Amino acid sequence: MKNWLCGTALAAILAPLIAFSARAEDVTTFTLKNGLDVVVLEDHRAPLVVQMVWYRAGSADEARGKSGVAHYLEHLMFKGTKTMAPGELSRVVEANGGSDNAFTSYDYTAYFQSIAADRLPLIMRMEADRMRNLSLTENDWKTERDVIIEERNLRTDSDPGAIFHEQLGAAQYLNHPYGTPIIGWRHEMESLTREDALDWYRLYYAPNDATLVIAGDVTPEQVKALAEEYYGPLEPSPAIKPRHRVTEPPQLAERTLVYQDPRVSQPMLSRSYLAPERNPGDQRTAAALTILAEALGGNGQTSVLGRAMQFGSKTAISTFASYDGTSLDKTTFNLGVVPAEGVTLEAAEAEVDSVLADFLKTGIDKDQLARIKTQIEAADVYSRDSVHGRAMKYGEGLTIGLTIRDIEDWPGILASITGDEVMAAAHLVLDRRASVTGLMERGEEAAQ
């Protein structure tokens, strides 16, 4: 009764918010003559604007032996151009009360600024400049290569959990480049050169390989005029081709990975399964998997694994499950546990398998399904309060090949998923033959 009342009350709160959010977001798209795709998300609630440029090139597009070059160039993009000194873009944005940054993923690299709406011409001019006019000195590329190696030292090599999950990813993908870490393998990062970075830049950083997203207190007419002024003169790259990557062969055998490290403070079991991604016009399986992840391990108090292992047998101090279908190629469905004191990883694995087997037989609880849908709907509504969040949603979706319609239909698809669809997705994905189970424990340090 308590859960029903919470869901009813939340639904009542959400109704006016959904209407308000819909009014706050008007989407306009157009393409410049040089191939630059432009998306305008109007939101006049505050005099702010976010500019994001998404390049359809990420670490999974790197040539073998050049891992880390996409992320390396991301760092180098903050060096100078023929008209801007190194670091000038960030300094100017900060001086005008804004912020900027960038990030690299498997499928894309993106750059963004958040600033007062009347500064849009300023950030457009600077971003357009570095799209085609990057200038690198000998010192620039060597210094920045040391920076990314040190970043790997801090974020990966000094963290046994990060090493563990990097090894899991490499074991999960037999052939696809998603098995290579975005930051790169250290020995390959150390050999990256200025020419490697420039080759990547010349190939992919062009208007016909990018999507410009402008969100905030703007109008489509204003954005189109500015985009034509600053981005319009940029020459497209004739070398841009449709992306074709190697694919995974059928996975026929489960794999188990044991990682031992004296720095491990808490043992962990983590398992990943190869899983389908969101595709244009075909998102229902991905939506069902999104709900399945929440059902199995989204909340320790209400999830299947949490109730069974944290509050039932008390064999785990935490449980988790996750799925993100926003990728160009096949992704993973993940779950795991941190066992309680005195519980071995082998015992925890046996209980995970038992809980999953029981779930596959009994199915998802109707009340749990309704609760998860309400929570997802609430998260979607509240995410629309962030101009940056909406720019992210459209930029990421379009860059992995979804359409505007796909992005806008996603919340409704999630809301319409049935329990039968969730269970069909569970039977499809929870196949040990396409899984990797990782056991992380304290022990001897792995070979470096």
Side-chain angles (χ1 to χ4, degrees), residues 87-405:
E88 181 178 343
L89 186 150
S90 294
R91 289 195 299 271
V92 170
V93 170
E94 183 178 5
N96 282 270
S99 61
D100 75 308
N101 214 323
F103 50 88
T104 304
S105 185
Y106 288 113
D107 298 315
Y108 48 75
T109 310
Y111 301 82
F112 65 89
Q113 302 87 31
S114 300
I115 204 165
D118 62 358
R119 302 298 195 274
L120 180 58
L122 173 66
I123 59 174
M124 265 205 185
R125 174 180 59 78
M126 293 190 295
E127 191 64 82
D129 185 25
R130 69 173 172 177
M131 180 180 280
R132 297 299 268 167
N133 299 311
L134 183 65
S135 178
L136 300 179
T137 68
E138 284 294 317
N139 290 332
D140 284 340
W141 74 269
K142 288 181 180 178
T143 301
E144 212 58 42
R145 188 177 64 184
D146 291 340
V147 169
I148 63 169
I149 291 172
E150 182 58 24
E151 182 179 339
R152 182 181 168 90
N153 288 339
L154 293 172
R155 295 188 176 183
T156 305
D157 297 335
S158 65
D159 182 351
I163 296 174
F164 173 59
H165 285 98
E166 184 178 81
Q167 294 293 307
L168 280 175
Q172 177 67 79
Y173 289 96
L174 304 177
N175 193 43
H176 194 280
Y178 284 171
T180 299
I182 294 169
I183 199 169
W185 298 116
R186 184 188 182 95
H187 68 287
E188 293 181 351
M189 295 167 66
E190 292 172 340
S191 66
L192 291 174
T193 66
R194 176 177 181 270
E195 200 56 36
D196 289 331
L198 288 175
D199 285 346
W200 184 266
Y201 176 73
R202 295 181 188 119
L203 176 58
Y204 292 115
Y205 279 53
N208 55 324
D209 197 42
T211 299
L212 170 67
V213 180
I214 304 294
D217 190 17
V218 295
T219 66
E221 295 77 16
Q222 175 192 7
V223 172
K224 187 171 186 178
L226 291 172
E228 289 177 340
E229 178 180 357
Y230 294 113
Y231 289 97
L234 301 179
E235 290 294 325
S237 170
I240 297 298
K241 308 293 182 188
R243 288 197 277 190
H244 294 293
R245 295 174 178 164
V246 297
T247 57
E248 277 295 293
Q251 296 198 1
L252 307 176
E254 63 178 289
R255 282 138 282 161
T256 299
L257 181 150
V258 179
Y259 178 71
Q260 296 181 330
D261 193 310
R263 299 170 297 177
V264 171
S265 59
Q266 181 65 60
M268 175 186 292
L269 165 89
S270 184
R271 181 182 294 163
S272 64
Y273 301 84
L274 204 63
E277 72 284 6
R278 288 170 63 184
N279 286 310
D282 181 19
Q283 301 185 90
R284 295 198 70 83
T285 298
L289 289 172
T290 300
I291 293 174
L292 176 65
E294 289 296 317
L296 290 180
N299 182 299
Q301 294 182 326
T302 61
S303 67
V304 171
L305 288 170
R307 289 200 308 266
M309 300 183 69
Q310 292 177 240
F311 296 94
S313 64
K314 298 185 179 179
T315 53
I317 59 175
S318 69
T319 58
F320 64 87
S322 64
Y323 168 79
D324 182 0
T326 49
S327 63
L328 192 63
D329 301 312
K330 282 190 175 181
T331 184
T332 56
F333 185 95
N334 310 284
L335 55 84
V337 302
V338 175
E341 186 71 26
V343 178
T344 66
L345 288 171
E346 291 74 18
E349 181 179 7
E351 187 166 358
V352 167
D353 289 334
S354 175
V355 172
L356 291 178
D358 184 62
F359 174 76
L360 289 172
K361 289 179 182 178
T362 59
I364 187 170
D365 180 79
K366 292 182 178 179
D367 291 338
Q368 184 188 29
L369 177 60
R371 182 170 59 249
I372 289 171
K373 287 184 178 183
T374 300
Q375 292 168 346
I376 289 175
E377 185 176 29
D380 176 67
V381 169
Y382 291 125
S383 72
R384 300 180 198 182
D385 284 340
S386 167
V387 175
H388 185 273
R390 286 200 299 280
M392 281 285 299
K393 179 176 68 174
Y394 280 88
E396 182 180 41
L398 293 169
T399 305
I400 64 164
L402 299 178
T403 66
I404 294 289
R405 179 66 180 271

Side-chain angles (χ1 to χ4, degrees), residues 18-79:
I18 292 171
F20 180 77
S21 294
R23 290 196 303 271
E25 178 175 289
D26 294 320
V27 183
T28 303
T29 63
F30 56 89
T31 301
L32 300 186
K33 291 180 181 180
N34 59 12
L36 179 69
D37 294 322
V38 184
V39 180
V40 184
L41 306 173
E42 288 186 78
D43 187 336
H44 302 289
R45 291 176 293 180
L48 302 172
V49 68
V50 171
Q51 172 179 243
M52 301 192 82
V53 172
W54 296 74
Y55 293 100
R56 293 183 281 274
S59 67
D61 300 297
E62 295 165 344
R64 295 283 187 181
K66 300 294 182 181
S67 66
V69 69
H71 175 250
Y72 179 34
L73 180 63
E74 177 212 310
H75 278 245
L76 290 170
M77 284 289 284
F78 290 86
K79 301 302 180 181

